[in-house]
Amino acid sequence: MSETSSLPVAPIDGRTRVVVILAYPTHHVRTPTFFNARVAALGLNAVLVPWKVSPAQLPAALEGLRLVENLAGVIVTVPHKQQMAALCDGLEGIAAHLGVCNVARRTPDGRFIGRMYDGVGFVTGLRGQGIDPAGKRALLLGAGGAATAVAAALLDAGVRQLTIVNRTRDKADLLVAQLKAKRPDAAVGSAEGAAGQWDLIVNGTSLGLKPEDPLPLDPVLLDPSSLVAEVIMQPAETALLLAAKARGCRIHRGEHMVTAQIDLLVDYLLG
Ligand SMILES: NC(=O)c1ccc[n+]([C@@H]2O[C@H](COP(=O)([O-])OP(=O)(O)OC[C@H]3O[C@@H](n4cnc5c(N)ncnc54)[C@H](OP(=O)(O)O)[C@@H]3O)[C@@H](O)[C@H]2O)c1
């Protein structure tokens, strides 16, 4: 039996509104499981389905989706969040500031208006597990779509210090500049490596999705007093989380980030 078989799913008929989640690949995508269960629990007539679309085909796929009148909107995940923001006709909130989005509503005239809920989802997920980021020294690995949103949300949540480390240093520097443009006094910077004293370490890279991926940081740098958090949902416990557990660290799984934003996504797309 799969994990989804016991969850309720709303019946599909001629009035069903459709949401697609655009991803490449799609096998790791877990949002439909939670989204469709929530839709069913709320008694809404809607469904979320995965669409495997390559970055090169995203503009063409979106042009087609503009014509679909019962399409409520799209959710986007790796690797589309930055490209999708550029393809949207309008962006709201933090998406407009950072140029990334993970959801776009389709208006009746076929325009897409994007928002970004990953950051608020991550911080809400932490708080839901009794972890308050306020006052913490945080290390964020990554500077892609998810990491960008997590960085902004951690600053909003009052971390004492935020250090961003990314394979492509220029992207980390650009992200720091974007964050400082909105919050000139924010204690945020980039660094070449992950050495340091951290209360909270967040893997915001895509490393850990594939079994052959290297760890996003050397586990010898992990102190048992650090909380190690993931954005990756599949596997539920990545190699990084397993290594952190072995070092005596508290861990926080990536699934909390998505479950914490389901109501926001349902509301924005179907409300
Ligand atoms: N739990 C949730 O709700 C949730 C929500 C959103 C995303 N996610 C997960 O977050 C992950 C990242 O998504 P995204 O949209 O941010 O992707 P993205 O925009 O493509 O960014 C990928 C990030 O990973 C880094 N990276 C990729 N391959 C690497 C490698 N071999 N070595 C070192 N760094 C590497 C990239 O570094 P460069 O800049 O150097 O390329 C970049 O910082 C995905 O696994 C996704 O499933 C989870």
Side-chain angles (χ1 to χ4, degrees):
M1 254 202 172
S2 82
E3 67 175 295
T4 55
S5 56
S6 57
L7 290 170
V9 177
I12 294 173
D13 60 26
R15 294 178 190 276
T16 301
R17 283 183 296 165
V18 177
V19 180
V20 302
I21 178 161
L22 298 162
Y24 197 75
T26 50
H27 65 267
H28 67 283
V29 164
R30 296 192 64 210
T31 310
T33 309
F34 304 114
F35 188 98
N36 289 326
R38 190 72 187 128
V39 160
L42 292 169
L44 298 171
N45 189 351
V47 67
L48 173 63
V49 292
W51 272 28
K52 186 177 175 185
V53 177
S54 73
Q57 297 301 336
L58 186 67
L62 212 62
E63 280 312 300
L65 288 168
R66 287 182 189 281
L67 310 176
V68 180
E69 293 182 22
N70 68 332
L71 183 89
V74 299
I75 296 173
V76 287
T77 186
V78 67
H80 297 317
K81 287 176 189 171
Q82 276 142 339
Q83 193 185 358
M84 182 65 201
L87 292 169
C88 276
D89 303 286
L91 296 171
E92 296 176 337
I94 193 76
H97 176 61
L98 297 173
V100 284
C101 71
N102 75 329
V103 58
R105 197 165 39 85
R106 182 190 175 279
T107 62
D109 57 348
R111 290 176 307 121
F112 283 104
I113 310 296
R115 286 193 183 177
M116 184 55 164
Y117 288 130
D118 278 348
V120 70
F122 180 76
V123 166
T124 306
L126 276 181
R127 291 190 178 128
Q129 297 301 303
I131 303 153
D132 184 357
K136 295 208 174 356
R137 294 160 302 183
L139 170 70
L140 174 65
L141 306 168
T148 293
V150 167
L154 285 174
L155 291 177
D156 285 346
V159 290
R160 186 189 339 161
Q161 181 204 332
L162 177 64
T163 301
I164 301 170
V165 171
N166 191 47
R167 172 178 62 176
T168 310
R169 177 74 184 267
D170 286 356
K171 278 173 69 180
D173 291 342
L174 180 66
L175 175 55
V176 169
Q178 278 179 312
L179 294 165
K180 283 209 175 238
K182 197 164 179 224
R183 308 167 185 76
D185 299 331
V188 56
S190 67
E192 202 52 54
Q197 287 287 311
W198 315 110
D199 305 310
L200 172 63
I201 297 174
V202 185
N203 176 35
T205 75
S206 41
L207 288 180
L209 271 179
K210 293 180 266 162
E212 67 273 19
D213 281 344
L215 289 173
L217 96 172
D218 187 340
V220 300
L221 297 173
L222 295 172
D223 185 272
S225 64
S226 300
L227 173 90
V228 179
E230 263 295 355
V231 298
I232 289 178
M233 291 168 280
Q234 190 71 4
E237 289 194 358
T238 58
L240 175 67
L241 292 187
L242 294 172
K245 253 195 336 200
R247 300 275 298 177
C249 303
R250 181 173 176 188
I251 63 164
H252 181 80
R253 294 176 179 189
E255 72 183 30
H256 299 299
M257 178 171 168
V258 70
T259 53
Q261 59 175 307
I262 289 297
D263 281 346
L264 296 170
L265 293 171
V266 169
D267 232 42
Y268 186 54
L269 292 165
L270 305 172

